[in-house]
C-alpha cells in the first residue's frame, strides 16, 4: 500500500516509516520540519516539506501521490505549550486536521490512522483505563485530540471514512536509526538520560503522590511496538474490513505501570552509574497513575508489545543517544 505519513520525520512518525518500509509499503512523508528531522527520512522515502493544513498544496500532493491511506502523526504535542497558547493547538491539531480530512475526502482517500493520546481521558476515575472511559481532557492538547477523534467518527458515519485512533500512553525507546530528540525536552526518559550525560540533575516532579513510592506511575510503550501497532491499524482500515465499519479506537500501552522512581533506577542500571537528581514540586496537571487497559489492541488488531520492559526501552534510547548525540545532548554533525 502507498501511505502518506504526516509528521514522518518526527519521533513516532520516523519509526513508523521504518516499519512500513520494512513491511514493503511505499511511503510519502509530509512534514514541515518544525519539530521533525530531515536526517530521519530514509533514502527510499520521498519527503514533502510542508504543512497538512495547507489546503492547496495538500490537494496537489494527494493528487500526485495516489495514496491508499494516511497515517496522521503530525501535531503540536506539548501539554504546557497548549495551556499557554491554545490557539496554536486548535489551529494545527483541529483546523489543520480538518483540512487534511477534507483533502482526503476530495481525493477519495478513505483510510486513516490517527495518533491520539491518553490525554483525552484527563484524570481517570479508575485504572487501568479502558477505551470506554469518559473523555474529560484537562488541557487544550488533550481536547484537540478528542475533537479530531470525534471528527473521524462522524466522517466515518456520514462519508464512509475508515479510521483507527490510537491513544498513546508514554512512548519511549529508540531503534538503531531513530530516537527521541525534542527541543525543549519535557519527557522523563530523555531527561533522565541527559542527566546521566551532562551531570546536571534531573528534577523529579513530586514524591508525595498516593502511589507505593510516592512518584507518578505511567504506562511506557516502546516506540517500535507502537510502530507495529500502526501497521496493524493501517491494515484494519482496508475496504470491507469489518473492524473499521465504525471508527475504531485503541489504547496503546503495555497495560502495566512504572513509577518515576523505577524509571530513574532502571536508567542507572542501564548507564552503569547513579543518575543525579533533585526533588521538585509536583508538575501541574499530572495525574498520579495512568495505565492503559491494552486488551482491545491485542484482541482487535492482533497486536502485542514485543518489548515491554524498561530495560528494552531505556537501553535502546541510551544506545541511540550514545551513537547520535554529543555530551551536551545535541545531535552530532
Ligand atoms: N517527570 C519528571 N521529571 C521530568 C519529566 C517528567 O519527574 O523532567 C515525570 C512527570 O511528572 C510524570 C512522568 O515523569 O509523572 C512522565 O512524564 P512525561 O512528561 O514523560 O510524560 P506524560 O505522562 O506527562 O505524558
Amino acid at each position: 500500500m502507498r501511505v502518506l505519513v504526516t509528521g514522518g520525520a518526527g519521533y513516532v512518525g520516523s519509526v513508523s516509516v521504518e516499519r512500513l518500509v520494512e513491511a514493503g509499503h511505499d511511503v510519502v512523508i509530509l512534514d514541515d520540519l518544525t519539530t521533525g528531522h530531515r536526517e530521519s527520512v530514509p533514502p527510499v522515502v520521498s519527503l514533502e516539506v510542508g504543512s497538512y493544513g495547507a489546503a492547496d498544496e495538500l490537494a496537489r500532493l494527494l493528487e500526485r501521490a495516489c495514496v491508499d491511506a494516511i497515517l496522521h502523526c503530525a501535531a503540536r504535542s506539548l501539554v504546557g505549550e497548549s495551556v499557554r497558547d491554545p490557539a496554536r493547538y486548535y489551529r494545527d491539531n483541529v483546523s489543520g486536521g480538518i483540512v487534511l480530512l477534507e483533502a482526503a475526502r476530495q481525493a477519495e482517500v478513505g483510510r486513516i490512522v490517527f495518533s491520539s493520546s491518553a490525554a483525552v481521558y484527563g484524570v481517570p476515575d479508575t485504572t487501568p483505563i479502558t477505551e470506554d472511559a469518559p473523555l474529560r481532557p484537562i488541557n487544550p492538547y488533550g481536547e484537540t485530540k478528542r475533537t479530531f477523534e470525534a471528527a473521524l467518527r462522524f466522517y466515518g458515519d456520514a462519508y464512509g471514512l475508515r479510521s483507527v485512533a490510537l491513544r498513546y500512553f508514554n512512548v519511549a525507546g529508540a531503534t538503531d536509526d531513530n530516537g527521541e530528540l525534542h527541543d525543549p525536552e519535557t519527557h522523563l526518559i530523555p531527561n533522565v538520560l541527559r542527566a546521566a550525560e551532562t551531570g546536571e540533575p534531573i528534577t523529579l516532579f513530586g514524591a508525595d503522590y498516593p502511589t507505593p513510592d510516592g512518584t507518578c506511575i505511567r504506562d511506557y510503550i516502546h516506540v517500535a511496538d507502537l510502530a507495529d501497532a500502526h501497521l496493524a491499524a493501517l491494515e484494519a482500515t482496508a475496504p470491507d474490513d469489518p473492524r473499521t465499519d465504525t471508527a475504531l479506537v485503541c489504547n496503546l500501552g503495555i497495560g502495566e505501570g512504572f513509577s518515576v522512581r523505577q524509571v530513574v533506577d532502571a536508567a542507572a542500571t542501564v548507564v552503569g552509574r547513579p543518575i543525579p537528581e533533585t526533588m521538585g514540586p509536583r508538575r501541574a496537571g499530572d495525574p498520579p497513575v495512568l495505565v492503559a487497559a491494552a486488551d482491545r489492541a491485542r484482541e482487535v488488531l492482533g497486536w502485542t508489545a514485543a518489548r515491554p520492559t524498561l530495560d528494552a526501552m531505556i537501553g535502546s534510547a541510551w544506545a541511540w543517544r550514545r551513537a547520535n548525540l554529543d555530551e551536551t545532548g545535541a545531535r552530532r554533525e
Side-chain angles (χ1 to χ4, degrees):
M1 116 183 88
R2 193 159 166 80
V3 185
L4 174 70
V5 182
T6 70
Y11 172 44
V12 165
S14 62
V15 177
S16 301
V17 168
E18 269 187 64
R19 184 73 190 88
L20 287 169
V21 169
E22 191 185 284
H25 298 294
D26 269 349
V27 175
V28 181
I29 292 177
L30 175 63
D31 197 303
D32 66 5
L33 299 178
T34 52
T35 54
H37 308 276
R38 194 181 284 275
E39 312 82 88
S40 298
V41 177
V44 294
V45 167
S46 69
L47 166 69
E48 283 289 322
V49 179
S51 162
Y52 59 89
D56 295 343
E57 286 89 331
L58 183 62
R60 279 197 293 275
L61 173 62
L62 285 178
E63 199 175 313
R64 207 171 57 238
C66 296
V67 305
D68 303 297
I70 298 172
L71 178 56
H72 182 34
C73 295
R76 300 287 145 226
S77 60
L78 298 174
V79 169
E81 181 188 61
S82 81
V83 174
R84 283 190 306 278
D85 190 8
R88 190 165 196 213
Y89 282 69
Y90 277 91
R91 198 171 54 233
D92 289 0
N93 296 1
V94 178
S95 304
I98 299 304
V99 169
L100 178 70
L101 288 188
E102 284 301 283
R105 196 150 74 91
Q106 204 66 41
E108 296 180 5
V109 180
R111 305 169 61 177
I112 183 165
V113 171
F114 171 55
S115 300
S116 190
S117 166
V120 297
Y121 296 114
V123 183
D125 298 326
T126 53
T127 182
I129 311 169
T130 64
E131 289 85 353
D132 304 324
L135 304 186
R136 293 181 304 226
I138 57 169
N139 51 59
Y141 169 64
E143 177 64 27
T144 59
K145 291 287 180 183
R146 189 186 70 90
T147 304
F148 191 76
E149 276 194 16
L152 290 177
R153 192 171 69 244
F154 291 121
Y155 272 58
D157 294 345
Y159 312 127
L161 178 69
R162 291 184 174 273
S163 69
V164 184
L166 298 171
R167 293 180 181 156
Y168 303 169
F169 281 65
N170 290 62
V171 188
T175 61
D176 290 344
D177 293 334
N178 290 296
E180 188 170 14
L181 186 60
H182 296 116
D183 184 19
E185 186 54 76
T186 60
H187 292 125
L188 178 64
I189 291 176
N191 281 347
V192 168
L193 296 179
R194 195 176 50 203
E197 285 155 2
T198 62
E200 285 283 312
I202 166 131
T203 305
L204 307 188
F205 300 139
D208 57 350
Y209 284 95
T211 59
D213 64 25
T215 63
C216 287
I217 292 175
R218 294 288 181 272
D219 185 330
Y220 294 88
I221 171 172
H222 197 297
V223 67
D225 286 336
L226 202 80
D228 289 344
H230 288 72
L231 185 56
L234 278 165
E235 284 163 359
T237 61
D240 303 327
D241 191 315
R243 294 175 295 178
T244 50
D245 282 348
T246 53
L248 176 63
V249 173
C250 290
N251 286 338
L252 286 185
I254 63 168
E256 191 187 339
F258 299 105
S259 72
V260 171
R261 169 61 53 213
Q262 285 175 304
V263 168
V264 175
D265 290 349
T269 306
V270 165
V271 307
R273 56 182 182 274
I275 309 287
E277 61 170 70
T278 68
M279 191 52 69
R282 290 182 178 198
R283 184 172 70 176
D286 271 343
V289 181
L290 285 178
V291 174
D295 314 272
R296 189 183 288 177
R298 206 168 32 243
E299 286 161 13
V300 179
L301 296 180
W303 165 87
T304 45
R307 311 151 185 92
T309 63
L310 280 183
D311 257 13
M313 294 180 230
I314 300 174
S316 61
W318 181 238
W320 180 80
R321 291 178 76 93
R322 304 232 317 170
N324 293 285
L325 307 186
D326 65 21
E327 61 290 344
T328 67
R331 194 186 276 268
R332 265 196 213 111
E333 288 310 313

